[in-house]
Amino acid sequence: MAVEATAPGKAILFGEHSVVYRGPAVVLAIDRRARVVARKRDDDRIFFDAMDLGFSGYFTGETYVPLQGESWRGKRLQAFLVAARKTMEHLGTESGLGITLRSDIPVAAGLGSSAALSVATVASVGGLLGGDLSQEEICELAYEGEKVVHGTPSGVDNNISTYGGVLRYEKDVGIERFELDGDLPFVIGDSMRKRSTKRLVDRVRMLREREPELVEGVLDSIVLVSESGLAALKANDLHRLGDLMNVNHGLLSSLGVSIAKLDMMVHSSRGAGAYGAKLTGAGGGGCMIALSDEASIEKINRAILRCRGEPHVVSVSYEGAKTREVD
Ligand code: PMV
């Protein structure tokens, strides 16, 4: 018997970086998913097949033995190892495991691929070992894995990937999940530049230490934009939503987390008819997101391609983490 779990990636619509300090992030689950299959093994090794990421290997105790790819690649697997082990600890059981990781979420692009893989790892291992894990448990155990990669992430990624849909997420306050009236088409543009969330969060922290008053003012403005953005989203007011996305991009740029290529894709998408466009996630590379209407999707796609970005047309996915038995 094996158990497969899938979990969605995400795009932050408002509140990246400010959510680390205070206020809400407004975040969408997107129709791109991570897929993890877990099987029991007779020995006590934990095997990972991550051939989508270009490597496979196993852990025996703390030692990583690569089968394909170099040994340093094992670091990428630490989060999933921790997620699997914490799940077993939580269930009071232990087993050798064979874990297959697959994902159609672009990696290291701010679209939540690592959190989605952590969430799906917890859900599949939990399902395999007979634990009927609640969404809260899945979310919390996946966060343990996320901390290994990101230090002290705000928790937005594991929450959206567990619950799906649209979330207002605020650290130490919790989540509000809701569904939108219509289907909003978003175009995501991947700059194809990999970046580390932790490094960008550190950059903002250091700027805040050097210029506390200034940065506090910007963070306050982002919190205001996020609250207004949430209201516009609930009211399906696309013009206001677009304006607020544009303002949010400017505020993030002022914190030094945009790059020229993201700026170019953002401006070209607006020129191609987007209601609004902004970087999404930590910045420094990764992705931007444009709010479009059906008529402008193709033009925005072409605009992103002209900037040498990779466009993905996405819609909101209301399906959070899901498990099923497979052969
Ligand atoms: O990992 P990303 O690119 O989705 O960024 C996460 C959002 C931040 O607010 C920058 C960090 C966090 O922990 O919330």
Side-chain angles (χ1 to χ4, degrees):
M1 203 258 289
V3 172
E4 178 194 75
T6 67
K10 67 100 197 356
I12 298 178
L13 197 54
F14 296 106
E16 47 274 270
H17 288 291
S18 57
V19 70
V20 173
Y21 300 92
R22 58 182 173 273
V26 180
V27 55
L28 319 162
I30 57 172
D31 52 355
R32 299 285 189 281
R33 298 182 80 82
R35 200 171 301 277
V36 172
V37 177
R39 287 186 168 77
K40 280 191 197 175
R41 291 179 54 87
D42 292 334
D43 55 23
D44 58 3
R45 293 173 176 173
I46 301 187
F47 271 72
F48 285 99
D49 167 348
M51 288 312 291
D52 271 14
L53 305 173
F55 52 97
S56 67
Y58 65 90
F59 289 88
T60 167
E62 294 314 308
T63 309
Y64 177 67
V65 181
L67 294 173
Q68 271 163 303
E70 309 80 347
S71 59
W72 58 264
R73 297 282 212 154
K75 265 200 169 333
R76 292 286 310 279
L77 296 172
Q78 289 290 343
F80 315 127
L81 178 70
V82 169
R85 284 199 175 139
K86 290 275 177 190
T87 304
M88 291 195 278
E89 212 176 287
H90 181 74
L91 295 172
T93 180
E94 245 181 90
S95 173
L97 295 169
I99 296 176
T100 306
L101 308 168
R102 296 284 182 268
S103 174
D104 54 18
I105 308 164
V107 174
L111 299 181
S113 83
S114 75
L117 284 166
S118 287
V119 166
T121 298
V122 170
S124 64
V125 171
L128 181 74
L129 300 179
D132 204 3
L133 296 177
S134 67
Q135 284 183 312
E136 286 79 5
E137 287 171 309
I138 292 175
C139 190
E140 272 173 33
L141 291 164
Y143 186 66
E144 296 298 322
E146 279 291 279
K147 282 198 283 196
V148 175
V149 194
H150 296 308
T152 48
S154 64
V156 61
D157 284 22
N158 48 301
N159 270 280
I160 188 67
S161 191
T162 302
Y163 295 100
V166 182
L167 293 188
R168 177 196 192 278
Y169 171 80
E170 189 170 348
K171 207 164 72 168
D172 303 327
V173 171
I175 55 168
E176 178 199 350
R177 183 181 186 279
F178 56 97
E179 308 209 347
L180 302 177
D181 268 353
D183 185 26
L184 294 185
F186 289 99
V187 185
I188 285 177
D190 188 348
S191 70
M192 314 297 282
R193 305 256 171 91
K194 306 251 183 282
R195 82 291 173 284
S196 136
T197 298
K198 190 171 180 305
R199 203 168 300 156
L200 285 139
V201 169
D202 283 349
R203 184 186 298 180
V204 173
R205 184 179 45 75
M206 288 185 296
L207 182 64
R208 182 168 171 261
E209 279 163 14
R210 293 198 301 278
E211 296 293 342
E213 263 181 65
L214 212 57
V215 171
E216 286 303 317
V218 175
L219 292 174
D220 281 344
S221 298
I222 298 181
V223 172
L224 187 61
V225 165
S226 305
E227 296 287 15
S228 310
L230 186 63
L233 195 61
K234 286 178 173 173
N236 207 27
D237 185 343
L238 303 191
H239 288 284
R240 182 160 189 235
L241 206 49
D243 284 345
L244 292 163
M245 289 170 75
N246 293 341
V247 173
N248 199 164
H249 182 75
L251 292 165
L252 287 165
S253 287
S254 76
L255 295 177
V257 296
S258 192
I259 57 169
K261 188 165 177 183
L262 282 173
D263 286 342
M264 242 162 64
M265 293 196 292
V266 161
H267 286 280
S268 304
S269 301
R270 289 177 195 160
Y275 288 106
K278 63 180 276 289
L279 72 82
T280 180
C287 293
M288 48 72 67
I289 182 167
L291 174 63
S292 175
D293 54 22
E294 288 295 338
S296 304
I297 288 180
E298 264 320 303
K299 274 181 81 178
I300 296 173
N301 265 341
R302 283 199 298 275
I304 290 170
L305 282 169
R306 270 198 305 277
C307 299
R308 297 179 186 277
E310 191 178 88
H312 302 270
V313 179
V314 299
S315 50
V316 177
S317 167
Y318 290 99
E319 203 169 71
K322 275 253 164 328
T323 52
R324 65 179 182 119
E325 282 186 21
V326 291
D327 291 335

